[in-house]
Amino acid sequence: MKVTLFSSKPYDEAFLKRLNPSFGHELVFIENRLNPQTAHFAYGSPAVCAFVNDVLDATTLEKLAHGGTRFIAMRCAGYNNVDLAAAQSLGLQVARVPAYSPFAVAEHAVALFLSLNRHVHKAYNRVRDGNFSIDGLIGHDVHGMTVGVIGTGSIGRIFARIMSGFGCEVLAYDVAPDPDCLQLGVRYVELHELFARSQAISLHCPLTPQTYHLINEQSLARMRDGVFLINTSRGALIDTEAVMAAIKSSKIGGLALDVYEEESALFFEDRSVGIIQDDVFMRLTTFPNVLVTGHQAFFTHEAMTNIAQTTLSNLADFVAGRACANRVICD
Ligand code: NAD
């Protein structure tokens, strides 16, 4: 079966091509993002494979359906960029990779937190410049800290476990508490208590209408002074303007982001020779206590292998007419 893969990078191609011989799909790799302007590239493809910053709105989906597409394999966990209601009414099935390596993302969140707390990003540059002064690089012991985890699904649960291992008191908020976390001694509290007590807060809930701008002026006001905020989930969980004001007032002591509200115009491309037009993002990166990575939390060999394996297998289910266990259904 012909499958058109959008937003394709050399690393996607390498991992998918390595595993495809046992599936035998005809893979067509396209560098362009999927959106209403590029959907026609998939004309004649029964299946399309897309990624986090592709635009699968009603217009794109109508064009795909018109071109003969019946199956969309998201090669990621989140699917907030897919209009599921439109997909359903057009008879398009959508599948995803629910869990490829929760360790990859949880460990990256920990790496960001530790780097930020001990100023590793600044120390790296100082030492390269022959500046061995440690003035201004003081951190806090993570052991004994109170750490808040919002969303204790597959990633948040592992983040909580790692933080427990460091000797932290872990508070959590989730609409559905996780038995493993409870057994670990994680204490589920209401959001206001988590905000009020945590010295570091890591976001691991999905982006939904309920969680959009969960971190905003009001929630920031409830937090402890000097709080560390880590977001490896989705950019729009955070109101970036409100967070910038909180950095300026020292309410936030450190901000680590792997995702950003307007990342689709920036991330996954080399923009080092152009002029970045996003003033908010550029301002954000001037703060010494802000550390940003470009949506790379998932990017380990193990995760990429699992993404390729599950994506190819989801496509095989469609070819065989089997029910796909990873299908996403509209609520
Ligand atoms: P998951 O579905 O296993 O867990 C999400 C948890 O959030 C669940 O326990 C759910 O009950 C909880 N939740 C839902 N609504 C909530 C709310 N309103 N408030 C609090 N908790 C709520 O998902 P996961 O695999 O752990 O992934 C978490 C998020 O991480 C994904 O939604 C995705 O956006 C993001 N992610 C980022 C990367 C990256 O590379 N940066 C990679 C994979 C996933």
Side-chain angles (χ1 to χ4, degrees):
M1 175 183 63
K2 184 176 169 189
V3 185
T4 302
L5 297 98
F6 287 89
S7 299
S8 171
K9 296 288 179 196
Y11 43 84
D12 295 311
E13 203 168 324
F15 279 91
L16 285 156
K17 275 187 173 167
R18 192 178 309 150
L19 297 181
N20 190 46
S22 42
F23 291 92
H25 302 304
E26 182 197 338
L27 304 179
V28 180
F29 295 95
I30 294 196
E31 283 182 33
N32 303 63
R33 296 248 173 98
L34 173 59
N35 57 39
Q37 288 73 46
T38 60
H40 66 275
F41 288 133
Y43 190 78
S45 272
V48 153
C49 181
F51 195 49
V52 287
N53 287 323
D54 289 318
V55 181
L56 291 98
D57 60 7
T59 315
T60 304
L61 295 173
E62 272 163 27
K63 291 190 177 181
L64 290 177
H66 181 69
T69 297
R70 290 285 164 266
F71 191 78
I72 295 167
M74 298 302 292
R75 54 178 190 282
C76 50
Y79 50 90
N80 51 287
N81 52 335
V82 185
D83 185 336
L84 284 181
Q88 193 164 305
S89 66
L90 289 160
L92 286 164
Q93 293 180 37
V94 180
R96 65 172 181 142
V97 183
Y100 36 88
S101 171
F103 301 102
V105 183
E107 288 168 9
H108 191 75
V110 175
L112 288 174
F113 174 36
L114 298 183
S115 303
L116 196 59
N117 175 42
R118 301 304 296 271
H119 310 283
V120 175
H121 56 302
K122 284 192 278 175
Y124 173 79
N125 287 324
R126 280 197 196 181
V127 171
R128 281 167 66 97
D129 269 355
N131 174 0
F132 302 102
S133 161
I134 60 168
D135 194 24
L137 300 185
I138 194 162
H140 294 275
D141 283 8
V142 171
H143 178 89
M145 269 193 191
T146 300
V147 175
V149 185
I150 301 184
T152 51
S154 41
I155 296 169
R157 172 192 310 146
I158 292 164
F159 180 84
R161 196 191 303 159
I162 298 172
M163 287 295 100
S164 288
F166 268 89
C168 299
E169 178 193 12
V170 182
L171 303 179
Y173 173 77
D174 194 307
V175 287
D178 174 62
D180 289 354
C181 282
L182 287 168
Q183 205 171 10
L184 197 68
V186 169
R187 208 157 69 75
Y188 282 88
V189 294
E190 289 303 320
L191 262 185
H192 63 84
E193 185 180 346
L194 186 146
F195 288 143
R197 290 200 47 219
S198 302
Q199 291 162 281
I201 297 173
S202 193
L203 307 180
H204 298 289
C205 56
L207 175 63
T208 64
Q210 291 74 40
T211 60
Y212 175 78
H213 283 189
L214 179 73
I215 305 301
N216 55 36
E217 198 182 334
Q218 290 74 34
S219 50
L220 285 160
R222 293 201 205 127
M223 293 181 199
R224 285 174 71 146
D225 289 341
V227 66
F228 288 100
L229 193 59
I230 304 122
N231 188 9
T232 55
S233 191
R234 282 291 180 267
L237 294 178
I238 286 182
D239 175 346
T240 315
E241 298 273 5
V243 152
M244 286 220 291
I247 293 167
K248 285 162 81 175
S249 71
S250 299
K251 168 60 81 180
I252 288 184
L255 174 70
L257 302 178
D258 185 54
V259 287
Y260 167 62
E261 229 177 333
E262 304 298 333
E263 70 176 51
S264 62
L266 296 172
F267 286 7
F268 300 116
E269 304 298 334
D270 179 359
R271 303 194 189 277
S272 58
V273 291
I275 305 296
I276 292 176
Q277 301 293 327
D278 184 332
D279 294 345
V280 174
F281 183 81
M282 293 313 282
R283 177 77 178 106
L284 201 58
T285 54
T286 63
F287 297 110
N289 55 350
V290 173
L291 179 53
V292 183
T293 54
H295 210 139
Q296 67 168 81
F298 71 98
F299 201 41
T300 64
H301 286 278
E302 293 73 14
M304 288 299 287
T305 303
N306 291 338
I307 288 172
Q309 175 70 35
T310 306
T311 300
L312 294 168
S313 158
N314 287 345
L315 290 160
D317 284 343
F318 174 65
V319 174
R322 286 188 296 262
C324 177
N326 299 319
R327 197 170 156 197
V328 187
I329 313 278
C330 187
D331 294 331

